[in-house]
Amino acid sequence: MVPIVFVHGIRVSATMWDPVRSRLDRPSAAVDLPGHGSRRGEPFTMEAAVQAVADAIEGVAGSGGRAVVAGLSLGGYVGIAAAGRFPGRVAGLVAMGCTASPGRRAGIHRSVASLAARDPGLANRISAYGLRRLLPGPAGEALVAGGLSCEVAPQVVEAVAGHDQLAALAAYPGRVWLVNGARDPFRADERAFLRACRNGRLIHLPRRGHLGVLAAPGPLARLLDDLCDQVDPAPHDREERSESRV
């Protein structure tokens, strides 16, 4: 049974995936990226983030083993980079809420990140309040449980902006599922991302926004289990592109 490695979003940590992981029927691991959670204070680079994913795959799947990588937002961008860098280790990729080109609204993202880094304590408190309001209950608590790291936001924005996600997708021969909430603004360039995939599928989650995909951890866990069951035993180059709603 292929395991899953989960990758979190900006400023939060691996704990954001706890409600989903507890409902899975397969082994899983969740990684803290540099500058986040247990690695708060470390500089964030895309290279270091990808290596963290590779280390997590080895931890859950063993030396030379493979795992499906599932990430949301920043975690999705890092997952794409990891698939392009280590295609033999990534059995499949579930990239959620990360199909907006980094150049789109880059100036806005840089401004917000810079503002958050000026007073990270205040930004962390505001973020914690907003995340709990957006996702009341266990899902929201999981987002803040590992601590928040708004100070790393400028490094993250620059690292994502400097990485070519479409080239990484084109280099990866395995199965890719682009999963977006139907109301997520980060799905803006999903068609271009789908075209870049050699073996891709686009899935829309009705009535969900960017973080709203986490609001129902049970259905999300079942979706991930179903997708993992579709992973072939070995990488292949068969091309397939499709779209569906769940």
Side-chain angles (χ1 to χ4, degrees):
M1 180 178 289
V2 64
I4 305 180
V5 168
F6 288 96
V7 195
H8 62 77
I10 189 171
R11 80 187 182 283
V12 295
S13 73
T15 63
M16 71 171 270
W17 292 110
D18 286 352
V20 176
R21 293 180 63 205
S22 67
R23 292 165 169 83
L24 286 174
D25 292 328
R26 66 185 62 245
S28 69
V31 60
D32 275 337
L33 297 174
H36 299 77
S38 62
R39 301 182 64 176
R40 188 174 181 181
E42 296 182 26
F44 183 96
T45 66
M46 189 61 77
E47 181 179 359
V50 167
Q51 187 59 53
V53 173
D55 292 343
I57 293 173
E58 183 166 346
V60 73
S63 180
R66 302 163 68 234
V68 168
V69 174
L72 171 63
S73 194
L74 168 62
Y77 288 118
V78 171
I80 291 171
R85 175 68 177 83
F86 297 108
R89 307 299 305 278
V90 178
L93 173 65
V94 185
M96 296 176 269
C98 61
T99 53
S101 170
R104 187 181 288 270
R105 301 176 182 171
I108 296 175
H109 295 313
R110 287 188 175 99
S111 296
V112 172
S114 177
L115 183 62
R118 290 180 191 173
D119 190 343
L122 175 61
N124 289 339
R125 291 192 295 274
I126 293 172
S127 289
Y129 174 79
L131 291 170
R132 287 186 171 112
R133 288 292 300 270
L134 179 65
L135 294 176
E141 290 303 318
L143 280 165
V144 303
L148 300 178
S149 308
C150 284
E151 67 275 7
V152 78
Q155 297 174 33
V156 169
V157 169
E158 293 306 320
V160 173
H163 182 259
D164 190 339
Q165 284 82 23
L166 299 186
L169 286 172
Y172 177 60
R175 300 202 65 167
V176 178
W177 294 275
L178 304 174
V179 180
N180 288 326
R183 298 174 179 173
D184 188 351
F186 280 86
R187 56 172 285 208
D189 301 303
E190 59 187 15
R191 298 292 175 180
F193 278 67
L194 182 62
R195 287 192 298 270
C197 296
R198 292 162 64 176
N199 187 357
R201 178 184 171 195
L202 176 61
I203 299 174
H204 289 150
L205 303 181
R207 299 180 301 279
R208 297 296 184 191
H210 186 58
L211 294 179
V213 299
L214 300 172
L220 181 56
R222 290 193 293 275
L223 172 62
L224 291 170
D225 269 325
D226 289 344
L227 298 183
C228 288
D229 286 340
Q230 301 173 32
V231 172
D232 292 336
H236 56 78
D237 291 324
R238 178 173 56 85
E239 294 187 0
E240 174 185 340
R241 294 187 181 91
S242 64
E243 179 178 354
S244 65
R245 302 178 70 88
V246 297

